[in-house]
Amino acid sequence: MHDLENIKIIIDSDRKLYEIHSFIRKTIDIFLVPILNRLPRGLFRKSSKKAETVNKHATTHRALEVIYSFNNQVNFEKGIFDGFFTYFWQKTSHAKALRNRLKLVKRELLKAIHSLNKKEIKILNLACGSNRAVIEVVGMHKNDFDFKVFGMDKNESAIEDAKALTTAFDVDHLFSWHQNTVSGFLKEAEQAQFDIVEMVGFLDYVPDEKAVFLFDQIYSVLADGGFFITGNIKDNKERRFVTEVVGWPHLIFRSENDLARILKQSKFKDAATHIVYEPHNIHGVVVCKK
Ligand SMILES: C[S@@+](CC[C@H](N)C(=O)[O-])C[C@H]1O[C@@H](n2cnc3c(N)ncnc32)[C@H](O)[C@@H]1O
């Protein structure tokens, strides 16, 4: 617990904002989750077209977009079996927690934007994927602030899809794109200063030592008073379902203590920090103010 000194840990259970399990679903899950954790991967992959896409593109923005873009409707266009399973997988704690993370990141981004107390805001989105959180927030508030956003990812198709999303939100003129690795980009951007650096969905794959190194690089490019927003998945009861059944590899599950330890070893050790968990307590979002 010592490492958590000065780091505020919050579970945000805003029922109006997030997708939460009902009491009945929580009771069903006592029996269902052990079954989910033991399902064969082939069954998941073959159960629906969307499940196949998530399995095939696990760890990328393509898999995330399948989950982010779920509209809460059952769709039988591809058959009853496909429609049922697509809906069923989207209602697991993991899928709900991912959509909750998106909402939580948007909420923290907006808080950071307002508390900067200025009009010109420079945002860097590292390993941006489809860049959805930043694009939606910038899209909603483009008339109130002068945004300049730098989106970077090592994958060309992520950048292409993110560009398409900026066009849909009519904010393409506010974004520039950089195909690079996170550490490569940060090295080249050494002299730059950003008001907000967002790196969500990436720390989950980075070992501790590399994470400390990246945090130090991020600290250097963050303006005084600026915000660093990141996140990490935490150990949970559906862990085996995600890693073995859905087939999402290389995840490093971290508790709030693990995150605090990394932060304390980095230049963010004295930064005002809080970690907010969405209601399923699966995804945590870290916010550090320099
Ligand atoms: C799980 S996705 C997260 C996307 C987005 N940030 C989100 O939360 O929706 C991980 C992203 O990291 C990118 N990526 C993986 N390794 C990378 C690296 N070394 N440097 C830059 N991007 C990387 C992938 O291309 C992918 O778009």
Side-chain angles (χ1 to χ4, degrees):
M1 287 308 256
H2 175 74
D3 277 336
L4 287 172
E5 218 177 88
N6 299 329
I7 297 183
K8 226 163 121 188
I9 312 293
I10 303 153
I11 296 191
D12 189 348
S13 311
D14 185 342
R15 293 191 154 266
K16 284 198 203 105
L17 182 67
Y18 298 111
E19 293 181 54
I20 297 175
H21 276 347
S22 64
F23 174 73
I24 294 173
R25 176 60 196 253
K26 280 185 192 155
T27 313
I28 292 172
D29 262 10
I30 296 170
F31 306 98
L32 181 64
V33 172
I35 298 170
L36 285 180
N37 282 334
R38 282 170 183 76
L39 291 176
R41 187 176 301 176
L43 187 143
F44 174 80
R45 200 174 40 227
K46 289 186 196 125
S47 65
S48 84
K49 281 272 165 240
K50 294 241 158 109
E52 193 185 351
T53 306
V54 170
N55 172 263
K56 191 168 159 200
H57 298 287
T59 80
T60 75
H61 74 289
R62 289 224 177 115
L64 285 183
E65 277 297 314
V66 169
I67 299 163
Y68 289 161
S69 59
F70 174 59
N71 62 2
N72 248 314
Q73 313 270 316
V74 199
N75 183 337
F76 291 125
E77 265 172 28
K78 293 192 174 70
I80 291 178
F81 192 78
D82 186 290
F84 169 79
F85 274 105
T86 299
Y87 187 84
F88 178 76
W89 304 129
Q90 292 280 16
K91 290 291 179 180
T92 56
S93 303
H94 255 93
K96 287 185 176 180
L98 259 178
R99 289 189 292 274
N100 286 343
R101 181 184 75 179
L102 178 67
K103 289 176 180 157
L104 177 51
V105 171
K106 283 167 60 181
R107 178 179 264 195
E108 292 300 323
L109 265 171
L110 197 55
K111 275 200 230 163
I113 286 166
H114 281 294
S115 65
L116 283 167
N117 215 8
K118 60 184 194 139
K119 205 164 159 59
E120 277 172 31
I121 295 180
K122 226 165 140 184
I123 303 175
L124 170 61
N125 192 358
L126 295 166
C128 63
S130 62
N131 213 324
R132 186 172 280 279
V134 176
I135 292 171
E136 290 188 5
V137 169
V138 166
M140 273 190 294
H141 301 278
K142 61 185 174 209
N143 297 329
D144 310 325
F145 298 92
D146 294 332
F147 290 111
K148 204 168 174 193
V149 187
F150 297 72
M152 68 80 36
D153 200 285
K154 75 167 187 189
N155 184 331
E156 193 183 347
S157 80
I159 292 180
E160 288 311 314
D161 289 356
K163 275 185 189 168
L165 203 57
T166 53
T167 309
F169 278 82
D170 194 21
V171 289
D172 37 344
H173 57 293
L174 305 175
F175 284 70
S176 67
W177 303 101
H178 309 269
Q179 192 182 351
N180 205 339
T181 60
V182 170
S183 52
F185 178 90
L186 288 169
K187 196 159 182 279
E188 281 173 20
E190 246 169 8
Q191 306 300 326
Q193 292 281 278
F194 300 93
D195 299 302
I196 298 172
V197 178
E198 192 253 56
M199 186 181 75
V200 173
F202 183 68
L203 184 61
D204 320 59
Y205 308 94
V206 180
D208 286 11
E209 209 177 309
K210 179 82 191 279
V212 173
F213 178 77
L214 288 181
F215 283 12
D216 286 350
Q217 281 186 306
I218 291 165
Y219 191 87
S220 306
V221 300
L222 197 60
D224 287 339
F227 291 88
F228 172 41
I229 301 177
T230 188
N232 213 112
I233 193 166
K234 189 178 183 178
D235 198 6
N236 62 83
K237 59 187 181 0
E238 279 182 13
R239 175 178 177 152
R240 200 173 179 284
F241 169 67
V242 167
T243 56
E244 304 302 319
V245 182
V246 176
W248 201 287
H250 312 309
L251 282 169
I252 300 172
F253 294 82
R254 289 191 173 100
S255 67
E256 46 273 54
N257 281 294
D258 298 330
L259 289 169
R261 197 183 54 248
I262 298 172
L263 288 163
K264 297 284 174 194
Q265 285 168 20
S266 79
K267 291 182 178 163
F268 283 102
K269 60 180 182 295
D270 296 322
T273 300
H274 61 274
I275 307 177
V276 194
Y277 286 90
E278 50 76 40
H280 292 271
N281 202 12
I282 293 177
H283 284 290
V285 172
V286 182
V287 183
C288 303
K289 182 170 193 245
K290 182 170 170 183

